[in-house]
Amino acid sequence: MKNLKILLLGSTGQVGWELHRSLLPLGTVIPVSQSTSPLQVDLRKGEQIRDLIQTVRPDFIVNAAAYTAVDRAESDRDLAHTINAIAPGILAVEAKKIEAALIHYSTDYVFNGRQAIPYQEYDQTDPVNVYGKTKLEGEKAIVSAEGNYLILRTSWVYGNRGKNFLRTILRLAQEKPEIRIVDDQWGAPTWSRTIAESTTFILTRSIASPRQFFEKFTGIYHLTASGITNWYEFARSILELAPFRTVFESCSSSLALLPTKIKSFPLPAKS
Ligand SMILES: NC(=O)c1ccc[n+]([C@@H]2O[C@H](COP(=O)([O-])OP(=O)(O)OC[C@H]3O[C@@H](n4cnc5c(N)ncnc54)[C@H](OP(=O)(O)O)[C@@H]3O)[C@@H](O)[C@H]2O)c1
């Protein structure tokens, strides 16, 4: 079987780091980030993206890179737009030129969050903040390039690397006597490793005949863990679950976890 070349963007991120590990059995994984990997690309620079793809000529481009600072995006609109909307469009156009497939990640923030039941792929998008708007523009740019792609929308990503809710709660548990967490915002926390392993599973299914696979399955999909919870219940589970109990018990025996409402937490980005 052909040795597949997989170009992995955002390899230092939560999802990218897990992808690097899980994609390895499929072929040669070429990790790229803007700072630390041997091969670097700055997604603000279109020429760098084009050169990278023309030089590597991968079979798959997996794009786990993004501007993910949801609140900061409100005052950093241009940068968020460049990385989340323009860069994915360039990736899609370049992927099409070399007949590579693009795997890209998007977010539940493309919806307005007012629906009481879980969103389906065909539901109307209506982002309410800059991050969501730029991610939706990125999706549209990929679709309009008309190449082979999978856009995998996920939500509430956590893992043992990077900035995420799980790590924040564990840190706060060591620093504070009391934590207030909102209990009126619902979602599906999704482990970064689940996203990576699902992606690898999908690509494994495509390898035998990628052209037929992507002709059939190119599109937008929701990829989250099943079930829903709110941030308060999620925090409670984080603190209760066995693997973390030592951290919890050793440093926060008097910790009080208190439910609160989203309106008491005014943040720059609407959600
Ligand atoms: N985090 C969530 O809760 C969440 C929820 C839903 C969807 N998603 C989506 O899931 C995907 C992965 O998110 P994540 O949480 O794993 O992201 P993350 O941990 O914030 O990592 C972002 C990655 O993007 C890279 N990057 C940022 N700016 C770049 C630039 N100018 N040029 C090149 N690389 C750049 C970073 O590289 P450096 O380390 O070099 O800066 C890093 O590797 C994204 O598409 C995100 O929108 C995330």
Side-chain angles (χ1 to χ4, degrees):
M1 203 198 305
K2 184 186 169 196
N3 180 33
L4 289 173
K5 255 200 253 177
I6 305 168
L7 182 66
L8 171 60
L9 293 121
S11 59
T12 55
Q14 294 190 78
V15 175
W17 190 81
E18 292 288 349
L19 279 164
H20 192 183
R21 190 183 134 276
S22 77
L23 289 170
L24 277 175
L26 296 188
T28 304
V29 179
I30 300 140
V32 188
S33 89
Q34 78 176 315
S35 46
T36 50
S37 55
L39 209 51
Q40 294 176 1
V41 71
D42 185 344
L43 292 180
R44 291 172 294 186
K45 312 227 163 88
E47 270 323 297
Q48 281 190 17
I49 303 173
R50 293 185 190 94
D51 287 351
L52 176 73
I53 292 173
Q54 283 303 325
T55 309
V56 176
R57 301 189 75 80
D59 301 287
F60 295 112
I61 299 168
V62 180
N63 180 29
Y67 185 106
T68 55
V70 177
D71 288 317
R72 199 165 355 116
E74 294 298 310
S75 54
D76 207 3
R77 183 178 290 261
D78 289 349
L79 183 56
H81 180 257
T82 304
I83 296 171
N84 291 346
I86 307 281
I90 298 172
L91 288 172
V93 168
E94 295 304 307
K96 188 176 182 196
K97 283 185 195 161
I98 59 165
E99 294 184 8
L102 173 64
I103 318 302
H104 177 80
Y105 300 92
S106 191
T107 171
D108 54 340
Y109 275 114
V110 298
F111 300 109
N112 63 24
R114 291 199 283 271
Q115 184 166 297
I117 54 170
Y119 284 98
Q120 303 293 327
E121 286 82 349
Y122 49 76
D123 283 326
Q124 183 63 48
T125 54
D126 178 26
V128 296
N129 59 37
V130 169
Y131 171 73
K133 283 178 187 154
T134 59
K135 291 295 288 184
L136 180 60
E137 286 164 355
E139 289 186 2
K140 288 181 175 165
I142 291 171
V143 173
S144 68
E146 297 183 336
N148 291 333
Y149 66 86
L150 298 175
I151 295 173
L152 306 175
R153 288 182 185 145
T154 191
S155 64
W156 293 26
V157 177
Y158 67 91
N160 62 4
R161 282 177 67 92
K163 253 185 122 180
N164 61 62
F165 187 76
L166 179 147
R167 283 167 52 95
T168 302
I169 291 298
L170 290 177
R171 179 175 52 76
L172 291 177
Q174 296 176 66
E175 293 172 2
K176 309 254 182 198
E178 180 182 292
I179 321 179
R180 286 176 191 276
I181 308 285
V182 300
D183 68 354
D184 55 349
Q185 219 181 22
W186 297 82
T190 306
W191 188 16
S192 50
R193 186 167 296 174
T194 303
I195 299 168
E197 289 180 350
S198 307
T199 304
T200 302
F201 177 76
I202 295 167
L203 292 189
T204 307
R205 297 287 297 270
S206 79
I207 287 172
S209 43
R211 185 166 299 183
Q212 286 91 327
F213 181 92
F214 283 98
E215 264 168 24
K216 192 166 172 195
F217 293 114
T218 278
I220 299 177
Y221 299 91
H222 289 182
L223 169 54
T224 69
S226 59
I228 57 164
T229 189
N230 59 54
W231 291 114
Y232 172 76
E233 290 297 338
F234 186 26
R236 252 171 39 122
S237 301
I238 289 167
L239 295 175
E240 281 168 12
L241 280 174
F244 307 113
R245 204 172 287 153
T246 32
V247 178
F248 180 47
E249 282 174 353
S250 66
C251 46
S252 53
S253 51
S254 60
L255 174 80
L257 190 63
L258 305 170
T260 184
K261 301 295 169 205
I262 189 74
K263 64 176 186 316
S264 10
F265 265 95
L267 290 168
K270 273 199 219 159
S271 58

